[in-house]
Amino acid sequence: MPRRPLIAGNWKMHLSVAQAVELAEKVAEVAAGCNDRDVVIAPPFTALDAVSKAVGKTSTFIASQNVAWEKEGAFTGEISPTMLVDLGVPMAIIGHSERRQIFQESDKMVNLRVKGALANGIVPILCIGETLGQREADMTFKVLESQLAEGLEGCTSEMVGDIVVAYEPVWAIGTGKTASKEQAQEVHAYLRQFLEEKYRKDIAQKIRILYGGSVKPDNVDSLMAQPDIDGALVGGAALKFESFARIINFI
Ligand code: PGA
């Protein structure tokens, strides 16, 4: 079964509630016109409720940009998976490199978040990626393997079937420097093989692996043409309706 392509927009710490709803409604209209791909948007927490109400009944999926692991408790500043369920939010980005780098989130914490999401029926979009220094030191595969293995520690084949993995080389995020299609395909094929060795093959083959890092209208088609690239996680270009619409409509 071919994997269904998935285009996700990560709005990061941008947009007022009104701006978010306006953009979400336009995106949902474009997404409604495509029945062979999934579209996900990840607004900031402040706009999740309004965006979820605005587009929740359309084919567009909503994701949060992070999620805690406990259902409730003394976790100042965190949002629990059950709170997301309460808002009708079905997915959560976990382990984005900005969380790892700026907020020192560890693989252990990422793993707790993944398991907390899964336990509450939220689909994790697990982000992994190497820094420029790690790539230059030939450590790319080692770093990605450990981020993936530790991020999914304790997850069985039955648990990982629906998860989404996003490969986002840190040096390509927000820099305008995309990994070449060959570089991205090489990593995606490696990650697929790793998942197939670790999990039941038929389940591993279902896991969608997105590429992220300066995806734009002018490079999305060639990235999406690679056999192991199943979608894109888009930052900057997802904030502008025209560019995100073109990315959703990749050829
Ligand atoms: P970018 O961000 O598209 O602006 O490089 C991607 C991301 O951080 O997910």
Side-chain angles (χ1 to χ4, degrees), residues 140-185:
T140 299
F141 294 116
K142 196 165 161 265
V143 167
L144 295 174
E145 193 172 310
S146 91
Q147 287 179 347
L148 197 51
E150 289 183 41
L152 295 175
E153 172 68 34
C155 296
T156 60
S157 288
E158 285 61 38
M159 288 162 78
V160 299
D162 288 330
I163 70 158
V164 176
V165 172
Y167 166 56
E168 299 203 300
V170 179
W171 48 272
I173 295 179
T175 56
K177 240 186 179 179
T178 331
S180 67
K181 58 184 195 303
E182 292 82 10
Q183 278 172 325
Q185 166 56 27

Side-chain angles (χ1 to χ4, degrees), residues 22-23 37 61 74 81 85 93 101 124-125 133 138 151 171 179 182 192 195 198 206-208 215 224 233 243:
E22 190 189 337
L23 181 55
R37 56 199 70 183
F61 294 98
V85 171
I93 296 175
Q101 298 212 311
I125 302 175
D138 254 338
W171 48 272
E182 292 82 10
R192 170 91 41 219
L195 290 167
K198 200 167 150 71
K206 272 177 50 190
I207 298 177
R208 288 178 288 188
V215 175
M224 289 304 295
L233 181 53
S243 59

Side-chain angles (χ1 to χ4, degrees), residues 7-163:
I7 302 292
N10 171 12
W11 293 352
K12 306 193 181 184
M13 196 171 71
H14 293 285
L15 307 183
S16 66
V17 175
Q19 289 168 329
V21 168
E22 190 189 337
L23 181 55
E25 282 172 345
K26 292 206 273 186
V27 168
E29 233 178 271
V30 175
C34 317
N35 51 18
D36 61 347
R37 56 199 70 183
D38 289 332
V39 176
V40 177
I41 46 179
F45 281 117
T46 46
L48 270 184
D49 187 31
V51 168
S52 169
K53 287 191 176 110
V55 307
K57 293 202 166 48
T58 70
S59 60
T60 299
F61 294 98
I62 314 287
S64 64
Q65 296 176 17
N66 204 355
V67 61
W69 50 94
E70 295 289 348
K71 288 184 199 296
E72 60 179 12
F75 294 91
T76 303
E78 291 283 322
I79 303 287
S80 81
T82 45
M83 291 169 173
L84 296 181
V85 171
D86 194 26
L87 295 185
V89 173
M91 303 178 91
I93 296 175
I94 297 176
H96 189 279
S97 70
E98 285 147 21
R99 298 301 318 171
R100 295 176 186 264
Q101 298 212 311
I102 307 171
F103 299 98
Q104 269 81 54
E105 288 197 10
S106 62
D107 284 319
K108 172 83 196 135
M109 214 181 273
V110 168
N111 177 244
L112 287 170
R113 293 188 192 281
V114 166
K115 288 192 289 201
L118 288 171
N120 291 283
I122 297 204
V123 174
I125 302 175
L126 169 60
C127 302
I128 58 173
E130 82 286 3
T131 62
L132 185 58
Q134 289 164 336
R135 177 164 279 266
E136 285 173 353
D138 254 338
M139 284 164 59
T140 299
F141 294 116
K142 196 165 161 265
V143 167
L144 295 174
E145 193 172 310
S146 91
Q147 287 179 347
L148 197 51
E150 289 183 41
L152 295 175
E153 172 68 34
C155 296
T156 60
S157 288
E158 285 61 38
M159 288 162 78
V160 299
D162 288 330
I163 70 158

